[in-house]
Amino acid sequence: DWSVSVVNTADQKVMSTIKTIDTPLGVAVHPDKKKVYVAIHGKGSVAVIDAAANKEIGVIPVGKVAWYIAVDVAKNRAYVTRREENKVTVIDTNTDKVIDNIDVGKEPIGVAVDPESNRLYVANFGDISVSVIDTTSNKIVSTIKLAPATESTYSGSPWGIAVY
C-alpha cells in the first residue's frame, strides 16, 4: 500500500504508518541524525523520514529506480543502488542532497558499508560480482568476481551483501 510501518520493538506493535509516493524498497537508518532513508523504487527517489516525529521531511531524486540503501554514520553519507543504471548514488545526510554518482558493475542491488575500513560493498546482480568502493574518494578499488550457481544464473546472482 506504498507505506512504511514504524514498529515498537518493546511490544512489537505498529506505532505509525507513513505513506510514500510509490513502492518503498530499501531502508537504512542514520541513528545520530534520527533519520530514516527509504528507497522509493518506482519513482527513483529516496524519502527522508524524521524518526522522532515519524513524518516524511523530504524526497531526494536519485535516478530512474532506487533499490537498496546503506548509511555511513561516520561520513554522514547514504549510498543508494540504481540497478537499471549501473550506479550508486551518494547522498550527504547533512544536507540530504546528492553529491556523487559512482559507476559500478552490472545491475547493482545489495549494498553494505564498512565505515572503519572506508569501504562500500555493492552486490552486482547482472555480472555476478561485488564492487569495492573507497568511500573517501568514491572510486572503485576492486571488483570481486563470484561464481554463479550451476542451476540458474538468476538464482545464483547476488542480491544482498553484509559486512561483518
Side-chain angles (χ1 to χ4, degrees):
D1 67 349
W2 295 0
S3 66
V4 174
S5 295
V6 180
V7 177
N8 182 327
T9 57
D11 63 11
Q12 299 179 358
K13 295 191 187 301
V14 175
M15 297 171 39
S16 180
T17 302
I18 304 161
K19 287 294 197 184
T20 59
I21 58 173
D22 205 303
T23 308
L25 193 54
V27 178
V29 176
H30 193 310
D32 295 348
K33 297 198 175 297
K34 297 185 179 14
K35 291 182 187 178
V36 178
Y37 292 88
V38 182
I40 305 300
H41 185 67
K43 295 293 184 191
S45 61
V46 172
V48 183
I49 296 173
D50 177 332
N54 292 332
K55 179 181 178 184
E56 183 181 284
I57 57 172
V59 176
I60 306 165
V62 295
K64 290 183 183 177
V65 180
W67 277 77
Y68 297 119
I69 301 178
V71 168
D72 183 341
V73 175
K75 284 195 174 44
N76 291 309
R77 302 286 186 256
Y79 301 92
V80 185
T81 55
R82 295 169 34 211
R83 181 178 179 179
E84 287 75 7
E85 298 168 275
N86 304 326
K87 294 187 183 294
V88 170
T89 294
V90 184
I91 297 170
D92 180 335
T93 59
N94 289 317
T95 63
D96 291 334
K97 305 273 185 215
V98 172
I99 59 169
D100 206 350
N101 287 289
I102 306 166
D103 292 319
V104 293
K106 187 175 176 189
E107 299 179 37
I109 300 178
V111 60
V113 67
D114 181 356
E116 290 180 17
S117 68
N118 298 312
R119 295 292 185 258
L120 182 73
Y121 298 87
V122 181
N124 300 306
F125 179 86
D127 61 10
I128 312 171
S129 70
V130 174
S131 295
V132 182
I133 298 166
D134 178 333
T135 57
T136 303
S137 66
N138 290 336
K139 304 287 184 212
I140 292 179
V141 294
S142 179
T143 300
I144 304 164
K145 291 298 286 176
L146 306 173
T150 54
E151 315 80 60
S152 164
T153 305
Y154 186 80
S155 65
S157 294
W159 280 81
I161 192 162
V163 176
Y164 174 68

